[in-house]
Amino acid sequence: MHVLILGGTTEGRRLAELLHADPAVRVTSSLAGRVAAPRMPVGDGRVGGFGGVRGLTEWLRTHRVDVLIDATHPFAETISFHAAEAAASAHVPLLALRRPGWVPAEGDNWHMTDSLDGAARLLPRLGRRVFLTTGRLGLSSFAGAEDLWFLVRTVDPPEAGTPVPAHMELLLDRGPFSLDGERALLHRHRIDVLVTKDSGGTATAPKLAAAREAALPVVVVRRPPVPEGVRVVTSPEEAAGAMGEL
């Protein structure tokens, strides 16, 4: 059985490990290539796009893929919809592996929104010193917020020419992060509002606990929907167990 994992997440790497342990399964992991030094999973690997739906469909057919698993980031909306269309065209079963989203706890002061533009509109009434943890690709949504200061944490710096906030300090770092470290970061930079996507998982969740302790408002960007009709599993183990059902 040849399984193609659209990865780049912790769950995708763990799933590759589980499937690679089975000698009857060949695993290929595909990473988008948006991170300069990606962590490659075990098994076969490739980096870069497919060339849209048509390219992915042809890849599935040419490489005789038996199962396609979308284990991309919950906010990688474009590739998820491309995967659904390509899987249907190539008649390949598709699973979407999505870690559960975060759930507010007692004491949280969350402000939900559907987009980064929506998050930017909320900020002026919530704070002036912003801890922005939504990644480097959406910084242009906050470029017009000239009255705010941003601490922007990303894995890689924004590309040259990308519109960014006028008052910004860039922090290049990669999770997992500790609660003590997040507490110190909020205190050191006098942060009064946090912006995050609902990525789920534990690697970056300590910032939510630190914000809760400091009674800070948190702007949370909701996830885009999974394509209609796609079966969703919530753990690598569940995905591996579903292989025999496809």
Side-chain angles (χ1 to χ4, degrees):
M1 177 185 290
H2 187 193
V3 179
L4 174 62
I5 301 174
L6 305 177
T9 59
T10 301
E11 291 78 15
R13 288 190 292 274
R14 173 59 179 158
L15 177 59
E17 292 175 359
L18 292 173
L19 297 180
H20 187 68
D22 186 344
V25 178
R26 175 191 171 196
V27 183
T28 302
S29 295
S30 178
L31 309 186
R34 289 180 174 176
V35 176
R39 299 170 180 172
M40 294 302 298
V42 298
D44 297 335
R46 66 178 302 280
V47 177
F50 291 92
V53 175
R54 180 178 297 179
L56 178 53
T57 302
E58 188 61 29
W59 204 97
L60 295 174
R61 290 171 174 160
T62 301
H63 294 269
R64 299 181 182 274
V65 172
D66 298 294
V67 177
L68 176 61
I69 301 179
D70 174 14
T72 57
H73 191 277
F75 284 84
E77 184 175 10
T78 299
I79 185 59
S80 292
F81 278 85
H82 285 182
E85 292 185 44
S89 296
H91 304 290
V92 173
L94 170 64
L95 285 178
L97 172 55
R98 293 289 184 270
R99 69 186 73 144
W102 288 319
V103 177
E106 183 177 355
D108 279 327
N109 178 15
W110 287 11
H111 300 259
M112 307 299 297
T113 183
D114 290 322
S115 67
L116 293 176
D117 288 346
R121 288 192 293 269
L122 286 172
L123 285 177
R125 64 183 179 85
L126 296 176
R128 286 291 180 267
R129 296 184 65 83
V130 184
F131 185 22
L132 186 60
T133 64
T134 55
R136 66 188 177 97
L137 297 181
L139 292 181
S140 60
S141 292
F142 303 91
E146 297 184 356
D147 294 334
L148 307 181
W149 181 89
F150 291 84
L151 174 65
V152 176
R153 183 166 68 191
T154 68
V155 175
D156 293 313
E159 295 182 358
T162 300
V164 298
H167 309 290
M168 178 187 86
E169 179 176 332
L170 189 63
L171 174 61
L172 300 181
D173 204 355
R174 185 199 301 259
F177 302 104
S178 69
L179 179 55
D180 285 343
E182 300 294 62
R183 286 171 178 150
L185 200 65
L186 296 182
H187 177 74
R188 182 165 65 252
H189 294 279
R190 295 180 288 115
I191 299 299
D192 56 17
V193 58
L194 166 67
V195 181
T196 183
K197 294 177 177 177
D198 179 16
S199 300
T202 60
T204 63
K207 63 188 174 186
L208 300 174
R212 184 188 312 123
E213 291 178 356
L216 300 184
V218 179
V219 178
V220 180
V221 181
R222 296 184 183 92
R223 297 179 177 190
V226 173
E228 186 176 355
V230 175
R231 178 178 173 183
V232 178
V233 292
T234 59
S235 72
E237 292 73 18
E238 185 182 359
M243 291 293 98
E245 305 169 11
L246 299 174

